[in-house]
Amino acid sequence: QRGSAFDEQHYFEFPEEYEPVFHTEIAPYTSVLVNGMYWDHRYPRLLTVEQMQQLHAQHPTAMLALFDISCDPEGALEFLKKTTNTDAPFFTYNTHLDEALDVIDGEGVLVLAVDALPAELPRESSQYFSQALFPFLEQLATSDSRASLEQQQTQLGAEMFNAMITAQGALTPNFKYIAALRRKNTLHVTEHEHLKSEIVRIDGHLFDSGIINQILDLIEAHGAEYTILNLLSRVNTAEL
């Protein structure tokens, strides 16, 4: 929509009516891009291969590096040809050849796209969290779980007590709202008991291939609802 104010809801419902301007308005002035946006096939890409090639032809010093957290191959950034791993985290995208080269000093865009990166914890973070939690360990170790909540509040201190979800088989005061949510969910299920439901198990490269997004889009397109009962994500060590 040209000349009118951006309407987020309209964009969500009719993405085919929009054209991105990132390649002309922002990319020419970007040296390093950190991408963490959600994208699926219904929406326009942030940068297509053709746009990326034109960009480097006109602005050779633009888009020197990409740090992609989303890791959607050929997704929002179409030139992201593959994801990487911690043993070989980088590759270079050559705009002239439209290829991903396993070098870090080649001509093109230096790309970091480790798909397991959000699940990794740097050593510095582990040390920081350990230091932050250490002062509370003695209170936790010496507290009596059989004591009343009032006594436990004194024994544990405000920080640990406020983080305690259950005690003696019941929800603590700070988390009693969970019971109301469960009752509401039970009523919702009862109201829709006549509707057909199925439990489906899906295995494979769900995120890097984009197949999980396509499946959920199909469910919504047919007016159905879904609930993810269990999600197990892990590094495919067989490919490392």
Side-chain angles (χ1 to χ4, degrees), residues 53-109:
Q53 292 172 335
Q54 293 174 352
L55 177 66
H56 262 200
Q58 299 171 5
H59 306 276
T61 59
M63 289 293 295
L64 299 177
L66 167 66
F67 175 21
D68 201 321
I69 302 173
S70 297
C71 294
D72 296 321
E74 299 184 344
L77 300 165
E78 191 177 21
F79 65 89
L80 180 66
K81 298 296 184 179
K82 62 177 182 177
T83 59
T84 57
N85 57 65
T86 51
D87 290 331
F90 299 99
F91 70 85
T92 297
Y93 170 71
N94 187 297
T95 55
H96 301 297
L97 301 176
D98 186 28
E99 291 182 356
L101 306 177
D102 292 324
V103 295
I104 63 173
D105 56 355
E107 181 182 355
V109 185

